[in-house]
Amino acid sequence: MTALGFEYSDLQRAKWWLSDKSLIPLAQLAASAIDTCGESPSSHDVEILKRQDRRLILRINLSQSGQAPFIMKVSPLRCLRHRLKYHSMKYNRFAFGEAVNLLIAAKRGLKVPKVYGYGCIYGSCRLITKDILILEDLAPRTPVGELLKLNRGDEEKCAKILSRTIPSFVDLYKEKCNNISTNMGAIMLGDENSKQDDFIVDFEYAKFHNKPSLEVLMFEAGHFAKHCCTWVAKETVNEWKDKLLDAVEIQRPRIREKMTGYFNYYFNAQLSRKERQKVGVS
């Protein structure tokens, strides 16, 4: 990862690849925050955004630096098999895999959070026990799901929110990306009256292909729409799907019918992660 060209080690316990040396205090604070992840961090510079068995997400603010806050995603490697794979071949998942995918996505022109650093913490036998991704904080942008929930019952407003996601799906299609995690939390929308860009996040399991695939687009759309139907009527979702097909200039009736078939299939399908990653692979 040449974009993260500055290496920093912390007393042989943690190793970091950072975008530049000014982020050393961030790496030091991150390691301290992880140590206290069993309880709420004591530092007012660290805020827990999400804490689950497989993921810890923090917002870190270097208050004395004058820099904007950062997001830190921590993946505990609780399984010995994962630790061994990281040790031997940099297992392409978790923080390391997402860092690589985000750098590829940015190079292709997708609007994704900037990667500031990747790090890993070592345990016994020098095996990695946690790997860490440091990202741009996209606040005050809001996930699509939160906006739909806030406007539940106002179909006109929800339809407008959904319409704002269409450019993100078109970009994924044009840049040949199958982001299998495109759900209501994966698209972050800026304030409607501002000039903020909208962003796509959660690229841990994304796959990049050599050519655009309409089937992949319909998979991403169907997977996304399945989650949206908690808050939005199916009719509104179908209208959104038709607008998406218009946006990628699919006008021939037979092709639109075929794409609608793909959309409906993936809307209803229950696919494993590996099956979702294989969509569009011939």
Side-chain angles (χ1 to χ4, degrees), residues 42-107:
S42 58
S43 170
H44 66 276
D45 290 331
V46 180
E47 175 189 0
I48 294 178
L49 301 180
K50 183 176 183 180
R51 181 166 53 198
Q52 296 179 337
D53 185 58
R54 295 181 61 252
R55 184 79 79 242
L56 173 69
I57 302 180
L58 307 173
R59 175 178 285 120
I60 296 184
N61 185 7
L62 295 179
S63 55
Q64 297 180 349
S65 71
Q67 294 175 291
F70 300 87
I71 297 297
M72 183 176 72
K73 298 176 71 172
V74 183
S75 300
L77 276 66
R78 305 187 189 281
C79 174
L80 179 60
R81 177 170 58 89
H82 292 166
R83 295 181 185 181
L84 291 172
K85 283 190 175 183
Y86 259 77
H87 180 75
S88 63
M89 55 180 285
K90 280 295 183 189
Y91 192 26
N92 193 26
R93 273 185 59 186
F94 304 113
F96 180 82
E98 184 165 14
V100 171
N101 284 337
L102 284 169
L103 292 170
I104 293 172
K107 190 173 182 179

Side-chain angles (χ1 to χ4, degrees), residues 11-282:
L11 300 177
Q12 302 302 312
R13 177 175 176 266
K15 188 170 184 179
W16 299 88
W17 290 261
L18 306 170
S19 56
D20 62 71
K21 65 180 181 180
S22 70
L23 296 175
I24 290 177
L26 176 63
Q28 293 171 333
L29 181 57
S32 175
I34 292 170
D35 285 340
T36 60
C37 68
E39 301 175 356
S40 295
S42 58
S43 170
H44 66 276
D45 290 331
V46 180
E47 175 189 0
I48 294 178
L49 301 180
K50 183 176 183 180
R51 181 166 53 198
Q52 296 179 337
D53 185 58
R54 295 181 61 252
R55 184 79 79 242
L56 173 69
I57 302 180
L58 307 173
R59 175 178 285 120
I60 296 184
N61 185 7
L62 295 179
S63 55
Q64 297 180 349
S65 71
Q67 294 175 291
F70 300 87
I71 297 297
M72 183 176 72
K73 298 176 71 172
V74 183
S75 300
L77 276 66
R78 305 187 189 281
C79 174
L80 179 60
R81 177 170 58 89
H82 292 166
R83 295 181 185 181
L84 291 172
K85 283 190 175 183
Y86 259 77
H87 180 75
S88 63
M89 55 180 285
K90 280 295 183 189
Y91 192 26
N92 193 26
R93 273 185 59 186
F94 304 113
F96 180 82
E98 184 165 14
V100 171
N101 284 337
L102 284 169
L103 292 170
I104 293 172
K107 190 173 182 179
R108 292 193 178 201
L110 290 170
K111 287 290 184 180
V112 297
K114 183 175 180 181
V115 179
Y116 288 105
Y118 162 76
C120 49
I121 292 180
Y122 294 92
S124 59
C125 302
R126 292 294 293 167
L127 293 177
I128 296 171
T129 60
K130 298 179 181 69
D131 73 338
I132 307 136
L133 183 60
I134 300 175
L135 299 170
E136 175 185 6
D137 184 4
L138 297 179
R141 296 171 184 84
T142 307
V144 171
E146 290 187 20
L147 293 173
L148 292 177
K149 184 177 180 180
L150 286 171
N151 292 279
R152 185 179 189 179
D154 187 339
E155 286 298 315
E156 183 178 353
K157 181 65 174 179
C158 286
K160 289 181 179 179
I161 293 168
L162 285 180
S163 293
R164 293 180 59 199
T165 70
I166 288 176
S168 294
F169 282 92
V170 173
D171 288 345
L172 287 169
Y173 168 70
K174 289 182 176 178
E175 300 308 327
K176 316 170 192 67
C177 179
N178 178 6
N179 183 1
I180 72 168
S181 301
T182 308
N183 53 40
M184 292 195 299
I187 299 179
M188 306 281 288
L189 299 180
D191 186 280
E192 192 172 7
N193 299 316
S194 74
K195 295 183 179 180
Q196 293 176 334
D197 290 327
D198 301 327
F199 279 74
I200 312 168
V201 300
D202 294 337
F203 277 74
E204 180 179 343
Y205 299 107
K207 294 290 184 181
F208 295 90
H209 301 292
N210 294 324
K211 59 183 179 180
S213 168
L214 287 171
E215 182 181 359
V216 168
L217 175 63
M218 289 297 98
F219 156 68
E220 291 170 327
H223 182 71
F224 174 77
K226 180 191 308 184
H227 297 277
C228 290
C229 279
T230 302
W231 314 111
V232 183
K234 184 67 183 298
E235 181 181 359
T236 301
V237 166
N238 284 330
E239 291 173 355
W240 170 80
K241 178 263 299 176
D242 290 338
K243 290 180 181 179
L244 177 58
L245 289 173
D246 290 340
V248 291
E249 300 180 346
I250 303 302
Q251 300 298 335
R252 292 173 60 184
R254 289 183 63 182
I255 299 179
R256 287 181 74 97
E257 183 179 358
K258 182 178 180 180
M259 292 306 110
T260 297
Y262 279 140
F263 176 85
N264 291 334
Y265 171 75
Y266 289 118
F267 180 90
N268 292 293
Q270 298 293 332
L271 303 180
S272 69
R273 183 177 65 245
K274 290 184 177 179
E275 288 171 330
R276 285 181 282 151
Q277 288 179 311
K278 290 180 179 179
V279 173
V281 178
S282 54

